[in-house]
Structure formats: C-alpha cells, structure tokens
Amino acid sequence: SCAPSPRTEIFSGKAVTHEDIKYEQACVLYNLGALHSMLGAMDKRVSEECAAGAFTYLRDHFPHSYSVDMSHQILSLNINLMLGQAQECLLEKSMLDNRKSFLVARISAQVVDYYKEACRALENSETASLLGKIQKDWKKLVQMKIYYFAAVAHLHMGKQAEEQQKFGERVIYFQSALDKLNEAIKLAKGQPETVQEALRFTMDVIGGKYNSAKKDNDFIYHEAVPALDTLQSVKGAPLVKALPVNPTDPAVTGPDIFAKLVPMAAHEASSLYSEEKAKLLRDVMAKIEAKNEVLDQFMDSMQLDPETVDNLDMYNHIPPVLMEKCAALSVRPDTVRNLVHSMQVLSGVFTDVEASLKEIRDLLEEDEAQEKKLQELLGRVPPTPGSPPGLAEVSKECSKYLELHEKASFTNTELHRAMNLHLGNLRLLGGPLEQVRAALPSPTLSEDDKQVLQNLKRILAKVQEMRDQRMSLEQQLREMIQKDDITTSLVTTDRSEMKKLFEEQLKKYDQLKVYLEQNLAAQENVLKALTDANVKYAAVRKALAEVEHKWNTTVQTLVASYEAYEDLMKKSQEGKDFYTDLEGKAAKLLERARAACQASEAHRQQLLERWALRPPP
C-alpha cells in the first residue's frame, strides 16, 4: 500500500490528507471544475454551457468535511458564480443580436438572481470565516454586479415601456436603472479601469435615456409616474446549463479496475440504493427550494434589513464627512472673520463707486436743467464757438460705467445672498461639536413606536433563525446521505430482500425529515406575524424615512457651505478687484465732470452777459 498524497487548499494554503479514496475522487472533480472554468474564460462568449457541472456533482455526491474548498457554501458560491458568468455571456449576445427588450431584461434579471445566490453564500458566517480577508472584496464585487445588471434589466424594461408608449413607466424604470447604477459605481471603487470605463459608458446611456424620458413626459405626455413597487417585477429567464459530469459513466472513466473486488450484484444494488437516497434528497430539496423562493420573494418585497430597520444609531454620531469639515475649520479659526471682512471691504468699494457715479449723474442732470432754463430765456441759441465740448463725452462714459455697475450690482447682491446663506453654517461647523450634533435632526419615538420596532426586530430574528436552522438541517441530511454506505450489508443480503433492506435503511432519515417539515410548516406563521408587524411599522418607517431624509439634507447643506467658502472668497476678491478698478475710473470721470460742468456754467454766463448788452429793437 502507499500513503495518500497531500492536497493544498486554495484559501488557507494548508496541506490536507485523508485516507479515503472518495477524497481523491473529490479532488479530481474539483480540478475538473477549475479546468472547465479556465476553458470557459478562454472560449468565445456565446455558449450556454458553463463550468458549474463538476462543482454541482461534487456538492451533491461527496462529503463537505474534507476541506474548506469542498464545503457546501463554497461549492454553492462557485456554482452560482459560474452560472452567473455564463448568463452574462448570453446577455451580451442577446444585446448584440438586438433581441426584444423584455427578453434582454429577463436574461439580465437572471444574472442578478445567480449573483444574489452567490452573495448569500458569501454572507454566510461559515463562508466568511473560511475565506478570510478576501470575503469582503468578493462580496463587494458581487454586489456591484448585482446592482449593475439590475440597472441593465430596468434599462431594458424602460425600453419596453417606451415601445408600448407607457411613458410614465418608462421614466420610473430609467430612474430605477440610474439609482442602481449609482450604487454599482459606489461599490466599484478600486476596480480596474476597464470596469470604470464600462460603468461610465453605461451611465452615459442610462443618464441620457432618463433625462430625455423625463423631459418628454414633463413637457409632452404628462403621464403619471407610478411607484416602482406597483409594477410587476422582472422574472429571470435561466438560459444556461451546467456542463454535465458523470464520473460513473464508462465512456468517461473507462473500465472499472476495482470491479472484481465487490460482486457485480452488490454494485448494482448499491447504485439502486444511491438512487433511492438521491430521490429522497431531490424530494426534500424541491420542498426546501419552493419555500426558500417564497421566503426570498417575500423578504425582497418587504425591503426589511434587520441591521438597518431603524437606523437609530446613526443619529448618535456626527458623520465622518462632517467631522472632516469640522476638523478642517478648527485649524482655520479665522474662516468666518475673513469672509465677513472680505465682503465688508467689497461693500465699501461698491458704495464708493455708487456714490461717485451718482454725483456725476447729478452734475449732468443739473447742467442739463440749467441749459434748459437758458434756452427758455433766450430762445433756441445755436452753439457758438467756444462752447465746452466735454460734457457729451462725460455723459457717454458715465452711461457705460453705470451699465457695468448695474450688471455687477446684481452679481454683488447674489454674492451677499450666498454669503448670508452659508455664513451661519460655517459658524456652526467652526463651533463646538455638541452644537453641530444638536443641529442634525433626530427621530423622536414614543414608547409604542419603540415597542413596534422591537417586535419587528424580534420577528426578523425569527426569520433568520428559521433560515439558519433550515440550512443546518439540509447540511446534516446531505452529510448523512454522503456517509451512508451499506455495501457490506448488500454483499450478504439476498436479492429478494433488497427492497426490504432499502426501506429499513431509509428509515434513518425520518427524524431529520420531520424536523425539516416542521421548519417548512412554521414559515407560513412566521411570515404572517412579520406581515402584521410590518403593517404596524409602516407609520414608524415613514417617520424614520422623513427624519433620515432631513438628516441627509442637513448634512449635505453643511458640507456644501464648507465647500462654498473658497468659491465665495475667490468671487469676493474678484469683486474687489473689479470695483477698485471701476472706483479709480469713476473718480477720474467725476473730476472731469466737475470741470466740464464748471466750463459749461461759465459759457452760459457769457451768453447771458451778451444777451443783456444787446441793443433794444
């Protein structure tokens, strides 16, 4: 005999050895699945077959305790990742082939379903501990794909609404696609440039579609925009299949080299018993999957996350983005004073310019009035040589400066308004943190409201407990089936007694089946209780959502005030430079106006004297 060769685990790097031939078979199957996935990655993206077959067979027919790589959750993760990527290929092909929008939406929705299953496997506490640090990165990437392909699905649902001339539906689907894409972009930080480029391109497409649809509906169609949850959800269309793997097929494995060690009849009986076990597992899994589907759809429709169902802890802290602004202002204590001083200087120069221009205008109006009086006294006097020419030029320049001043005055007013808008917020951010926290809205819940929340959390915990128990029982059943080897009994049992032996041996699963049936039967009552609790929670949820909206708006307003500071200082300085220059020009023009008006007055006096010396008729 020879010692078994050690195998290296992918995630831990540990060498694993088992004195069990089935472990060797499992390792071969695992490597076959890995090879299929590599070949799939190199192949053209047009086939519906994927590398999930080997992993599926491994999950359903071998123990999961051999190594981390072969745990039920890790294999389920691999299977759904492979199926999701294969469905992606068909989605890409369907878009290139210009298939109908509704079909493309359903194909994309199925991609989302596969990745949601992968995400559930990743979120499992057992998986997290097995994968270690990479679990968070994988989960973030899978969640990014979920949001991205959900956006693609709703983009094509919007296109279908457009084809059906349902313009209100078109707006909400494109809006939803835009929201989901924004979530994908948030999760895509740190991803390669090719991913960022794809997201930017998709944003251009969806953003353009949404803006066009909203504008058309606002100005042309005026259709009511329904709430997204009132529309029928997009049901996925699974078009991919796992590449079938059957390690017992002689066409694959060749002749059985150990066939002579056990009688052929015992082999045949063992295969029949394996089929009975597989049938039992299929029946149980069909019930579990049906209940799981109902549960998943129900929880998706509720949109209740146990961890964020109340979000109350959020209001106990100043958010990091705001703390960052407070810290920045704490090392720049003169921020508000500098802004106020800058605006005061600007106001002073503005006032000086306005006074100079007013005086020029008054001088010109007074000169015009005196000229009118002279003409009324003497009759229309033609210009005589020596009359002052400067007033017309002064008047022309004054009009030009007044026009500049009027335009700048509007900008100046807007600048002051913006300053007054942000000044209070800047003072708040530069003050004590207690005042900042007090300025942020927070919910006020009655004792009844708190009781409603506690009850909802308790039932959500029951839902999770039911899920965990179901998964545990399923795992126990699979492991029990994997370890159930009655070959020794089959060798010594007569063929006529085989059926009776099978019935006796299968009774060992009855207790587990009872527990599973009880778990599945409890789901209806749990969901009914959750429905009742959610109805009572509706008013609290609305109140919390409103407070959260106000809280987010307040935070955004305070951050905007901080970010507006530099812009206000820059525009204030530009205003000062503009008015300082205009002040110099206005001062010079005032001197010219005074001189021209004096010359004009002297000219009028000369005309009066000549008129007085004229001989009577």
Side-chain angles (χ1 to χ4, degrees):
S1 63
C2 60
S5 57
R7 308 278 180 172
T8 304
E9 286 185 341
I10 294 175
F11 302 110
S12 66
K14 295 178 182 177
V16 179
T17 304
H18 291 284
E19 294 183 356
D20 186 346
I21 190 63
K22 287 181 74 67
Y23 175 61
E24 300 297 323
Q25 292 174 334
C27 290
V28 171
L29 277 170
Y30 193 98
N31 289 335
L32 184 62
L35 175 62
H36 283 172
S37 70
M38 293 173 65
L39 292 173
M42 293 186 287
D43 201 3
K44 294 179 181 178
R45 296 167 63 92
V46 294
S47 171
E48 75 278 9
E49 293 183 336
C50 72
F55 293 124
T56 304
Y57 191 91
L58 188 56
R59 183 189 66 183
D60 294 342
H61 293 83
F62 284 82
H64 302 136
S65 57
Y66 283 142
S67 70
V68 170
D69 306 341
M70 297 182 196
S71 70
H72 180 71
Q73 293 297 333
I74 295 294
L75 290 173
S76 294
L77 171 64
N78 288 346
I79 290 165
N80 283 290
L81 285 177
M82 302 302 168
L83 290 169
Q85 290 176 89
Q87 186 86 0
E88 272 190 57
C89 297
L90 284 189
L91 173 63
E92 184 178 314
K93 185 175 186 297
S94 67
M95 289 193 287
L96 289 173
D97 293 345
N98 291 317
R99 294 294 182 91
K100 290 183 178 180
S101 299
F102 184 61
L103 176 61
V104 176
R106 288 194 62 196
I107 295 173
S108 190
Q110 186 61 43
V111 177
V112 173
D113 289 345
Y114 284 135
Y115 285 140
K116 278 186 177 178
E117 286 298 319
C119 198
R120 286 191 185 99
L122 279 170
E123 288 171 343
N124 180 271
S125 56
E126 179 189 348
T127 310
S129 63
L130 294 177
L131 294 183
K133 293 181 180 179
I134 64 171
Q135 185 260 356
K136 287 185 178 179
D137 294 336
W138 284 20
K139 180 181 174 183
K140 187 177 178 184
L141 176 59
V142 172
Q143 286 177 330
M144 184 270 286
K145 281 177 167 276
I146 289 171
Y147 279 113
Y148 177 77
F149 287 107
V152 173
H154 278 191
L155 167 65
H156 285 84
M157 287 301 290
K159 286 184 176 180
Q160 189 205 24
E162 186 175 290
E163 292 160 7
Q164 296 174 341
Q165 297 189 344
K166 296 178 180 178
F167 300 108
E169 285 188 21
R170 176 177 65 162
V171 173
I172 194 63
Y173 275 125
F174 288 158
Q175 171 70 66
S176 174
L178 196 60
D179 293 342
K180 293 182 188 312
L181 184 59
N182 279 321
E183 290 298 322
I185 290 170
K186 288 179 189 175
L187 291 165
K189 289 180 181 176
Q191 293 298 326
E193 180 58 28
T194 52
V195 175
Q196 307 293 347
E197 186 178 341
L199 289 170
R200 285 194 293 270
F201 173 77
T202 311
M203 176 57 78
D204 290 342
V205 173
I206 293 177
K209 285 280 187 184
Y210 170 69
N211 290 333
S212 175
K214 189 172 188 308
K215 183 178 178 183
D216 288 350
N217 197 51
D218 287 346
F219 292 101
I220 300 173
Y221 304 114
H222 306 293
E223 276 194 18
V225 178
L228 186 64
D229 55 12
T230 63
L231 301 177
Q232 187 176 0
S233 60
V234 190
K235 188 172 178 63
L239 302 180
V240 295
K241 60 184 179 182
L243 192 66
V245 172
N246 183 5
T248 62
D249 184 356
V252 176
T253 61
D256 181 3
I257 60 175
F258 301 108
K260 294 180 180 179
L261 296 180
V262 177
M264 184 55 68
H267 269 299
E268 292 172 355
S270 180
S271 295
L272 291 173
Y273 183 66
S274 294
E275 180 52 36
E276 290 295 322
K277 291 189 296 179
K279 181 182 176 183
L280 183 150
L281 182 60
R282 284 196 298 271
D283 291 344
V284 172
M285 286 308 301
K287 294 176 182 177
I288 290 176
E289 287 168 2
K291 286 287 186 179
N292 282 347
E293 184 176 356
V294 171
L295 180 58
D296 290 341
Q297 289 178 354
F298 184 88
M299 294 305 294
D300 286 344
S301 69
M302 285 285 187
Q303 295 182 338
L304 293 173
D305 184 346
E307 295 181 5
T308 59
V309 76
D310 56 19
N311 254 358
L312 294 180
D313 187 57
M314 175 177 76
Y315 303 105
N316 296 328
H317 312 284
I318 298 174
V321 65
L322 215 52
M323 284 294 292
E324 182 185 329
K325 309 309 179 192
C326 292
L329 285 178
S330 69
V331 297
R332 297 165 64 185
D334 295 332
T335 298
V336 174
R337 192 182 306 116
N338 290 343
L339 183 57
V340 172
H341 175 71
S342 179
M343 298 304 292
Q344 285 173 343
V345 172
L346 175 58
S347 294
V349 182
F350 174 87
T351 304
D352 290 344
V353 168
E354 193 166 65
S356 295
L357 293 175
K358 183 178 183 304
E359 187 175 348
I360 294 170
R361 190 172 55 201
D362 290 346
L363 286 170
L364 292 172
E365 288 175 354
E366 177 62 25
D367 184 82
E368 186 179 349
Q370 293 299 327
E371 191 68 27
K372 189 175 181 182
K373 284 181 183 179
L374 179 65
Q375 290 185 5
E376 288 173 356
L377 180 63
L378 304 181
R380 189 156 190 86
V381 180
T384 58
S387 63
L391 278 172
E393 295 172 1
V394 169
S395 178
K396 185 177 179 182
E397 275 195 62
C398 182
S399 297
K400 182 174 77 172
Y401 292 164
L402 280 168
E403 185 180 351
L404 286 173
H405 173 63
E406 186 177 350
K407 288 180 180 177
S409 176
F410 175 76
T411 304
N412 186 44
T413 303
E414 287 296 303
L415 192 59
H416 274 78
R417 188 190 64 78
M419 185 200 75
N420 291 328
L421 179 68
H422 296 297
L423 203 55
N425 289 342
L426 289 170
R427 284 197 178 99
L428 178 64
L429 290 173
L433 291 178
E434 291 77 12
Q435 292 181 9
V436 178
R437 189 179 291 111
L440 295 174
S442 60
T444 305
L445 297 179
S446 67
E447 287 302 317
D448 288 344
D449 292 340
K450 291 176 183 176
Q451 187 62 41
V452 166
L453 269 175
Q454 286 302 113
N455 187 46
L456 183 67
K457 286 182 177 180
R458 181 181 61 80
I459 297 173
L460 285 171
K462 281 285 184 187
V463 172
Q464 189 57 47
E465 182 185 344
M466 181 177 69
R467 279 186 188 274
D468 293 343
Q469 185 191 53
R470 189 175 298 172
M471 289 176 63
S472 174
L473 291 171
E474 178 193 335
Q475 183 71 14
Q476 290 176 46
L477 179 63
R478 289 181 179 279
E479 289 177 357
M480 195 171 174
I481 288 175
Q482 294 293 346
K483 294 175 182 176
D484 187 8
D485 184 359
I486 62 169
T487 305
T488 306
S489 300
L490 292 172
V491 171
T492 58
T493 303
D494 188 81
R495 181 183 291 271
S496 62
E497 297 292 320
M498 288 295 181
K499 184 177 180 181
K500 183 178 178 182
L501 176 64
F502 288 175
E503 290 173 353
E504 288 295 324
Q505 291 293 331
L506 290 173
K507 285 180 181 178
K508 65 169 74 84
Y509 299 104
D510 288 351
Q511 189 62 57
L512 262 180
K513 286 166 65 180
V514 168
Y515 291 151
L516 272 165
E517 290 288 349
Q518 290 172 346
N519 177 284
L520 298 174
Q523 179 168 303
E524 185 177 349
N525 291 332
V526 173
L527 295 188
K528 184 178 183 302
L530 183 57
T531 301
D532 295 341
N534 189 51
V535 170
K536 296 176 183 176
Y537 171 62
V540 180
R541 186 179 200 170
K542 182 180 178 183
L544 289 175
E546 288 173 356
V547 174
E548 184 176 356
H549 176 71
K550 291 177 184 175
W551 192 85
N552 287 329
T553 302
T554 304
V555 170
Q556 290 166 8
T557 302
L558 290 172
V559 170
S561 292
Y562 174 86
E563 293 173 347
Y565 170 73
E566 295 294 344
D567 187 52
L568 287 172
M569 287 297 291
K570 179 185 175 186
K571 288 181 178 176
S572 175
Q573 185 59 48
E574 289 172 352
K576 285 191 291 184
D577 293 343
F578 171 79
Y579 271 110
T580 300
D581 179 61
L582 188 58
E583 182 188 28
K585 292 177 179 177
K588 290 178 182 177
L589 186 61
L590 178 57
E591 292 302 318
R592 285 171 55 197
R594 287 169 178 163
C597 285
Q598 287 172 1
S600 179
E601 180 61 26
H603 181 65
R604 281 194 294 273
Q605 290 300 324
Q606 289 175 5
L607 289 176
L608 284 170
E609 289 171 4
R610 289 178 192 168
W611 183 78
L613 295 173
R614 186 184 61 177

